[in-house]
Amino acid sequence: MQAATLLLGLRGLTADGLLKCTFKRGAQSLSHHARRGCAPLSTSCARRQSEARSTSLKSLDVLGTTYATDGWTNTPPAILAKTGRDLLHQTSHPLAILKELIFKEFPTFAHYDSLSPVVSTHQNFDSLGFAQDHPGRSKTDTYYVNQSTLLRTHTSAHQLQLLAAGSRCESDILVQAKNSAAAPRNERFLVAADVYRRDEIDASHYPVFHQMEGVCTFLRDEVRDKAQQATAAKKQGKTGKVCYPDQVAQMIDTTVVGDGNPMQAAHSADEVAFLVDNMKQAMNDMVVHILAKAVAAQQSSGDACAPDSQPQFPVRWIDAYFPFTSPSWEMEVLFQGEWLEICGCGIMKQEILNQAGMPDRIGWAFGFGLERLAMLLFGVQDIRLFWSSDPRFASQFSPGRINSFRPFSRHPSCAKDVSFWLPAESTFHENDIMDLVRETAGDLVEGVKLIDSFTHPKTGKGSRCYRINYCSMDRNVTNEEINGVQELVRKRMVEQLGVTLR
């Protein structure tokens, strides 16, 4: 398969990078049967029962550490099992290969890839300025270990932690960095890690994925000197910008810093101009090098002349908003007529640096989902494959090498529909279904899609119909097996969500 076809399954996918930080409204995990005591069973009642069962466990073990549970605990066993898979340290895994590729693009940065996924609510939200009523804090969006502890939803959860560790010389954290000599005080660092969010089910979404975050800071005195030098160079007609080969990427950037994408009051115009130029140069370099490898993989596979191959990738910058950068931007790549977001970036909120004990520094940050770029580089069209232990997948890759994935025989899929009436005064959300199906059927499910929704004109009752597409990645499954799984899904929907099957 040529590298260009791999983004077919990514259309409509929002970026999962560091700075995106937008959370889909979901619903907490309802993976166990409801207990008696609520008849008829409402969704809110089912949730209360699920919470009661979570707290009855009294503790959860995550990566060898025991945590007390409470009414916020909603992390199911299937998610806890993913915390130990450690895909980023499997040297022949596409995500690990991509991680190392990006690390090499930033040789002057400290590199972190072993930080625990268990973080505090303060790290994940408060330290970054998230409002108390932000939907990302809800149990419908986030996997909580307890009220004050959760599985990180983004690598940004470590931003203040790592900056403060550098400022305070906290050796227990600094020692975890690779390449630490390049930035011994974490003035520049990359973080690669697994992150966890409740999400929909399709070929490009999974409740566990991986992100890469970059932070680059400068002493303000240093920036003032460099900004003055840059201003003088521009007056002489020397921009210092790199021209990229058109056969790989075409850069389009008409953005400006202004009222629609403002600078912070704590920063001067010269400081922002320097940071923006420095950041965009670094981002352009990285993306061009990655796209060049995608084209090279496509050509080496012999697919470069295929009708849907794409040897050239236009790249554009657009204004954006993120809660802890200003001004902010997104990078997008034009793929088969559609602009697809690659990453988000921006000038760091000065409050974060001040909290870290670095008021004399300013900086920029970026982030993106590794799965998206891995699908681009390796031609993997189903995100479930990254979690596959099938040797026909794993054997195709080797450390340091980019090549196009060759799909092995696709097993037949089987679609099953389920229709139901919502309970009265329902707080039902689509993520209720997604989590229930994932807990019941695991990776046997390829996708879940809403195909019909209506409200009865007389009773006012809401109806939904979902299509569940079953398809194993590595074996044939019988219709009888699928029927059994589907019946269990239907049973649990009634017991846990309080719906009435149609």
Side-chain angles (χ1 to χ4, degrees):
M1 175 191 303
Q2 62 273 21
T5 61
L6 40 90
L7 286 178
L8 286 172
L10 298 179
R11 294 178 178 174
L13 175 66
T14 57
D16 291 320
L18 151 75
L19 298 173
K20 188 63 178 177
C21 286
T22 52
F23 295 79
K24 295 184 180 180
R25 294 184 180 272
Q28 71 194 64
S29 177
L30 299 171
S31 59
H32 302 284
H33 289 207
R35 296 179 178 177
R36 293 175 294 176
C38 296
L41 183 66
S42 69
T43 301
S44 58
C45 181
R47 286 178 176 166
R48 288 194 299 271
Q49 291 176 344
S50 180
E51 292 168 9
R53 281 188 300 277
S54 294
T55 55
S56 69
L57 295 175
K58 298 193 181 299
S59 66
L60 288 181
D61 184 85
V62 187
L63 297 176
T65 300
T66 301
Y67 299 87
T69 61
D70 58 24
W72 283 73
T73 305
N74 68 342
T75 306
I79 295 299
L80 290 174
K82 301 294 186 185
T83 60
R85 288 292 301 274
D86 210 15
L87 301 185
L88 292 180
H89 291 104
Q90 299 175 20
T91 56
S92 295
H93 193 283
L95 295 177
I97 295 170
L98 176 56
K99 176 202 71 177
E100 293 299 329
L101 170 66
I102 298 171
F103 278 177
K104 290 178 180 178
E105 291 291 322
F106 294 90
T108 64
F109 285 50
H111 302 156
Y112 290 87
D113 62 3
S114 300
L115 298 174
S116 171
V118 181
V119 299
S120 69
T121 305
H122 176 80
Q123 285 177 281
N124 203 79
F125 298 119
D126 300 323
S127 71
L128 299 168
F130 280 78
Q132 289 297 317
D133 61 352
H134 191 283
R137 292 178 179 267
S138 172
K139 289 186 287 185
T140 63
D141 291 58
T142 296
Y143 291 113
Y144 280 88
V145 176
N146 54 46
Q147 185 174 9
S148 61
T149 312
L150 51 87
L151 298 180
R152 63 184 163 224
T153 63
H154 49 190
T155 47
S156 305
H158 299 288
Q159 191 175 110
L160 178 58
Q161 174 193 23
L162 294 178
L163 288 169
S167 174
R168 301 164 187 164
C169 295
E170 297 175 358
S171 59
D172 58 327
I173 294 179
L174 297 176
V175 74
Q176 299 182 51
K178 300 178 179 179
N179 201 39
S180 59
R185 301 291 292 275
N186 276 350
E187 57 268 42
R188 297 172 300 277
F189 61 80
L190 297 179
V191 176
D194 48 344
V195 297
Y196 301 76
R197 295 183 198 170
R198 303 185 69 206
D199 213 338
E200 58 193 280
I201 302 177
D202 61 30
S204 57
H205 289 84
Y206 205 78
V208 189
F209 55 101
H210 297 78
Q211 290 183 343
M212 176 74 76
E213 171 182 1
V215 167
C216 182
T217 70
F218 300 85
L219 288 170
R220 300 190 79 158
D221 289 342
E222 175 189 5
V223 169
R224 291 189 187 100
D225 292 340
K226 290 185 176 181
Q228 291 174 0
Q229 296 171 10
T231 299
K234 287 180 179 179
K235 289 180 179 179
Q236 298 175 20
K238 301 176 182 178
T239 64
K241 293 185 177 181
V242 177
C243 294
Y244 298 102
D246 285 341
Q247 68 268 25
V248 174
Q250 297 172 312
M251 292 295 172
I252 305 167
D253 185 4
T254 60
T255 61
V256 295
V257 177
D259 293 340
N261 198 10
M263 58 182 276
Q264 301 166 51
H267 298 158
S268 71
D270 285 346
E271 287 175 330
V272 172
F274 169 80
L275 290 175
V276 171
D277 285 347
N278 185 271
M279 178 191 69
K280 288 187 174 181
Q281 191 68 67
M283 295 295 94
N284 288 340
D285 288 348
M286 178 188 69
V287 171
V288 166
H289 292 164
I290 288 175
L291 294 179
K293 290 183 179 296
V295 172
Q298 173 182 299
Q299 293 173 340
S300 65
S301 69
D303 293 326
C305 296
D308 55 354
S309 66
Q310 185 172 330
Q312 189 179 73
F313 296 86
V315 179
R316 74 178 181 184
W317 288 81
I318 61 172
D319 292 333
Y321 168 79
F322 306 117
F324 36 92
T325 60
S326 185
S328 307
W329 296 270
E330 292 174 352
M331 290 187 74
E332 296 184 335
V333 174
L334 184 65
F335 176 75
Q336 295 194 358
E338 292 189 24
W339 289 101
L340 301 173
E341 183 185 335
I342 289 293
C343 73
C345 55
I347 308 307
M348 296 175 63
K349 287 289 182 70
Q350 194 60 36
E351 291 91 335
I352 297 175
L353 288 161
N354 293 345
Q355 288 182 67
M358 295 182 170
D360 57 339
R361 286 187 170 269
I362 54 178
W364 51 262
F366 73 86
F368 50 84
L370 288 179
E371 274 79 355
R372 162 163 289 190
L373 288 180
M375 294 172 98
L376 173 66
L377 281 174
F378 295 95
V380 177
Q381 291 187 302
D382 191 328
I383 198 170
R384 294 179 300 164
L385 283 167
F386 290 126
W387 296 90
S388 174
S389 57
D390 192 316
R392 290 173 297 176
F393 177 78
S395 64
Q396 295 192 36
F397 310 105
S398 57
R401 182 170 177 262
I402 302 297
N403 58 277
S404 292
F405 169 63
R406 294 286 182 179
F408 35 84
S409 299
R410 177 178 171 83
H411 296 282
S413 61
C414 179
K416 299 288 184 180
D417 294 349
V418 55
S419 301
F420 53 87
W421 294 107
L422 297 175
E425 300 180 359
S426 173
T427 55
F428 170 84
H429 187 277
E430 191 166 84
N431 276 4
D432 292 326
I433 291 289
M434 302 301 167
D435 258 14
L436 186 149
V437 171
R438 276 198 174 102
E439 280 296 296
T440 305
D443 286 344
L444 189 61
V445 176
E446 182 179 49
V448 178
K449 183 178 181 181
L450 178 68
I451 61 173
D452 185 57
S453 175
F454 76 93
T455 301
H456 195 284
K458 293 183 178 180
T459 65
K461 294 179 64 176
S463 173
R464 302 287 188 274
C465 180
Y466 283 87
R467 177 158 295 160
I468 305 174
N469 197 50
Y470 297 93
C471 182
S472 173
M473 296 180 290
D474 50 22
R475 65 185 179 89
N476 282 314
V477 292
T478 66
N479 194 55
E480 288 75 17
E481 180 181 355
I482 296 301
N483 285 341
V485 174
Q486 179 73 359
E487 279 305 308
L488 184 56
V489 168
R490 290 166 57 88
K491 177 182 178 182
R492 290 181 173 177
M493 287 176 60
V494 172
E495 294 176 333
Q496 298 176 26
L497 304 184
V499 304
T500 302
L501 298 176
R502 298 182 59 201

Coordinates of all heavy atoms in Angstrom, one line a residue, residues 60-67 80-86 114-118 151-152 194 196:
L60 N -7.1 0.3 43.4 CA -6.7 -0.1 42.1 C -5.2 -0.2 42.0 O -4.5 0.6 42.6 CB -7.2 0.9 41.0 CG -8.7 1.0 40.7 CD1 -8.9 2.0 39.6 CD2 -9.2 -0.4 40.2
D61 N -4.7 -1.2 41.3 CA -3.3 -1.3 41.1 C -2.9 -0.9 39.7 O -3.5 -1.4 38.7 CB -2.8 -2.8 41.3 CG -1.3 -2.9 41.2 OD1 -0.6 -2.7 42.2 OD2 -0.8 -3.3 40.1
V62 N -2.1 0.1 39.6 CA -1.6 0.6 38.3 C -0.1 0.6 38.2 O 0.6 1.3 39.0 CB -2.1 2.0 38.0 CG1 -1.8 2.5 36.6 CG2 -3.6 2.2 38.3
L63 N 0.4 -0.3 37.4 CA 1.9 -0.4 37.2 C 2.6 -0.6 38.5 O 3.7 0.0 38.8 CB 2.4 0.9 36.5 CG 1.9 1.1 35.1 CD1 2.4 2.4 34.5 CD2 2.3 0.0 34.1
G64 N 2.0 -1.5 39.3 CA 2.6 -1.9 40.6 C 2.4 -1.0 41.8 O 2.9 -1.2 42.9
T65 N 1.7 0.1 41.6 CA 1.4 1.0 42.7 C -0.1 0.9 43.0 O -1.0 0.9 42.1 CB 1.7 2.5 42.3 OG1 3.1 2.6 42.0 CG2 1.4 3.4 43.4
T66 N -0.5 0.9 44.3 CA -1.8 0.8 44.7 C -2.4 2.1 45.0 O -1.8 2.9 45.7 CB -1.9 -0.1 45.9 OG1 -1.4 -1.4 45.6 CG2 -3.4 -0.3 46.4
Y67 N -3.6 2.4 44.5 CA -4.3 3.7 44.7 C -5.7 3.4 45.4 O -6.4 2.5 44.9 CB -4.5 4.4 43.4 CG -3.2 4.8 42.7 CD1 -2.6 3.9 41.8 CD2 -2.6 6.0 42.9 CE1 -1.4 4.2 41.2 CE2 -1.4 6.3 42.3 CZ -0.8 5.4 41.4 OH 0.4 5.7 40.8
L80 N -6.9 -0.4 32.2 CA -5.8 -0.6 33.1 C -4.8 -1.6 32.5 O -3.6 -1.4 32.6 CB -6.3 -1.2 34.4 CG -7.0 -0.2 35.4 CD1 -7.6 -0.9 36.6 CD2 -6.1 1.0 35.8
A81 N -5.3 -2.6 31.7 CA -4.4 -3.5 31.1 C -3.5 -2.9 30.0 O -2.4 -3.4 29.8 CB -5.2 -4.7 30.5
K82 N -3.9 -1.8 29.5 CA -3.1 -1.1 28.4 C -1.9 -0.4 29.0 O -1.0 -0.1 28.3 CB -4.0 -0.1 27.6 CG -5.2 -0.8 26.9 CD -4.8 -1.7 25.8 CE -6.0 -2.2 25.0 NZ -5.6 -3.2 24.0
T83 N -2.0 0.0 30.3 CA -0.9 0.8 30.9 C 0.4 0.1 30.9 O 1.5 0.8 31.0 CB -1.3 1.2 32.3 OG1 -1.4 0.0 33.1 CG2 -2.5 2.0 32.4
G84 N 0.4 -1.2 30.8 CA 1.7 -1.9 30.8 C 2.2 -2.4 29.5 O 3.2 -3.1 29.4
R85 N 1.5 -2.0 28.4 CA 1.9 -2.5 27.1 C 3.2 -1.8 26.5 O 4.0 -2.4 25.8 CB 0.8 -2.3 26.1 CG -0.4 -3.2 26.3 CD -0.1 -4.6 25.9 NE 0.4 -4.8 24.6 CZ -0.4 -5.0 23.5 NH1 -1.7 -5.0 23.7 NH2 0.1 -5.1 22.3
D86 N 3.4 -0.6 26.9 CA 4.7 0.1 26.6 C 5.2 0.0 25.2 O 6.3 -0.4 24.9 CB 5.8 -0.6 27.5 CG 6.9 0.4 27.9 OD1 6.7 1.6 27.7 OD2 8.0 -0.1 28.4
S114 N 9.4 7.8 29.5 CA 9.1 6.8 30.6 C 8.3 7.4 31.8 O 8.4 6.8 32.8 CB 10.4 6.1 31.1 OG 11.1 5.5 30.0
L115 N 7.7 8.5 31.6 CA 6.9 9.1 32.7 C 5.6 8.3 32.9 O 4.9 7.9 32.0 CB 6.6 10.6 32.4 CG 7.8 11.5 32.2 CD1 7.4 12.9 31.7 CD2 8.6 11.5 33.5
S116 N 5.3 8.1 34.2 CA 4.1 7.3 34.5 C 2.8 8.0 34.0 O 2.7 9.2 34.0 CB 4.0 7.2 36.0 OG 2.7 6.7 36.4
P117 N 1.9 7.2 33.5 CA 0.6 7.8 33.0 C -0.3 8.2 34.1 O -1.3 8.9 33.8 CB 0.0 6.6 32.2 CG 0.5 5.4 32.9 CD 1.9 5.7 33.3
V118 N 0.0 7.9 35.3 CA -0.8 8.3 36.5 C -0.4 9.7 36.9 O 0.8 9.9 37.3 CB -0.8 7.3 37.6 CG1 -1.7 7.7 38.8 CG2 -1.1 5.9 37.2
L151 N -5.6 8.9 34.8 CA -4.7 8.6 33.7 C -4.7 9.8 32.8 O -5.7 10.3 32.3 CB -5.2 7.4 32.9 CG -5.3 6.1 33.7 CD1 -5.9 4.9 32.8 CD2 -4.0 5.7 34.4
R152 N -3.4 10.3 32.6 CA -3.3 11.6 31.8 C -4.1 11.6 30.5 O -4.1 10.5 29.8 CB -1.8 11.9 31.6 CG -1.1 10.8 30.7 CD 0.3 11.1 30.5 NE 1.0 9.9 30.0 CZ 2.1 9.3 30.4 NH1 2.8 9.9 31.4 NH2 2.5 8.2 29.9
D194 N 2.0 7.6 26.4 CA 0.6 7.1 26.1 C -0.3 8.0 26.9 O -0.1 8.5 28.0 CB 0.4 5.7 26.6 CG 1.0 5.4 27.9 OD1 1.8 6.2 28.5 OD2 0.7 4.3 28.5
Y196 N -4.8 8.8 27.6 CA -6.1 8.0 27.8 C -7.3 9.0 27.7 O -7.4 9.9 28.5 CB -6.1 7.3 29.1 CG -4.9 6.3 29.2 CD1 -3.6 6.8 29.5 CD2 -5.1 4.9 29.0 CE1 -2.5 5.9 29.6 CE2 -4.0 4.1 29.1 CZ -2.7 4.5 29.4 OH -1.7 3.7 29.4

